[in-house]
Amino acid sequence: MSTFIEKYKGIHPGIIVERLLSKRAISQGPFALSIGEHPQTLNAITKGRRKLNIALALKIEEKLNLEEGSLALLQTYYDIQAEKSKTKQETPNLNILRKVLFWDTDIATIDWQKQSKAVILRIFERGNDSEKEEIKRFYKNDLIKAALESNSRKLYTVHKNKEKA
């Protein structure tokens, strides 16, 4: 079971059921009736619009000769992933960072992971010591070092080009 679970972990179990039925050339409607379910219910599950409850998962697993509990476990992993994606994105302590540093954007809309390089450069260019310490706490040292080194190479190149002109 572990390879089955690992292979499909995080995918809605209804999509897996739809794929298995398709591979075995089994129509959804007759299959739903054969396990005592309404075809509409099975259709909603296979389209990912409805959760797969344990009772139905057991019926499907038995009919398709799947290991008991595998579809229910996939539903649990799917629910975990869905819940994690809902959780609020982690941010640095915004009480420490002055809003004036981000005068050109709404601080609430910053994607702190995708825009990490810009944030790091902004704080290290214009921030005070406590703001720099907060950014050091929030981001990994490697990420900070890479952002600062990239910027210093860029500045060096611009400076050299100006000297040549």
Side-chain angles (χ1 to χ4, degrees):
M1 178 167 99
S2 64
T3 57
F4 178 80
I5 297 297
E6 289 302 316
K7 185 175 181 181
Y8 298 116
K9 195 174 182 181
I11 298 174
H12 192 285
I15 295 169
I16 308 306
V17 170
E18 183 178 40
R19 185 168 184 253
L20 291 170
L21 292 175
S22 173
K23 276 178 131 180
R24 298 177 186 189
I26 302 171
S27 297
Q28 279 186 30
F31 179 78
L33 294 173
S34 75
I35 59 172
E37 268 312 316
H38 294 285
Q40 298 91 334
T41 302
L42 185 63
N43 186 43
I45 291 168
T46 59
K47 299 301 177 201
R49 295 188 306 258
R50 185 173 177 167
K51 287 185 176 188
L52 180 62
N53 64 48
I54 293 174
L56 183 54
L58 290 171
K59 291 179 190 177
I60 294 170
E61 291 162 354
E62 183 180 345
K63 193 75 169 177
L64 294 177
N65 296 320
L66 297 174
E67 188 169 344
E68 189 176 87
S70 58
L71 291 176
L73 195 54
L74 284 176
Q75 181 66 55
T76 301
Y77 280 120
Y78 178 78
D79 292 344
I80 289 169
Q81 182 179 359
E83 194 59 36
K84 280 183 175 180
S85 69
K86 287 181 194 175
T87 58
K88 190 178 176 188
Q89 173 185 317
E90 190 176 326
T91 64
N93 185 342
L94 299 180
N95 293 327
I96 295 175
L97 302 180
R98 293 173 291 150
K99 290 180 182 168
V100 72
L101 290 170
F102 301 98
W103 72 90
D104 56 346
T105 189
D106 180 7
I107 200 166
T109 63
I110 295 173
D111 185 326
W112 298 94
Q113 298 310 314
K114 287 183 182 176
Q115 298 170 321
S116 60
K117 183 177 176 184
V119 169
I120 291 166
L121 293 177
R122 176 80 55 101
I123 297 296
F124 276 84
E125 181 180 315
R126 298 167 189 227
N128 61 33
D129 290 341
S130 62
E131 291 163 334
K132 290 175 186 175
E133 287 304 314
E134 176 57 18
I135 291 301
K136 287 178 187 176
R137 183 202 63 78
F138 183 70
Y139 292 114
K140 295 179 181 172
N141 283 335
D142 296 342
L143 187 62
I144 294 171
K145 186 177 178 183
L148 295 175
E149 285 178 355
S150 168
N151 192 50
S152 65
R153 283 192 297 271
K154 181 178 163 187
L155 291 173
Y156 178 77
T157 304
V158 169
H159 179 71
K160 282 295 181 185
N161 289 339
K162 283 184 179 178
E163 283 182 352
K164 290 179 183 178

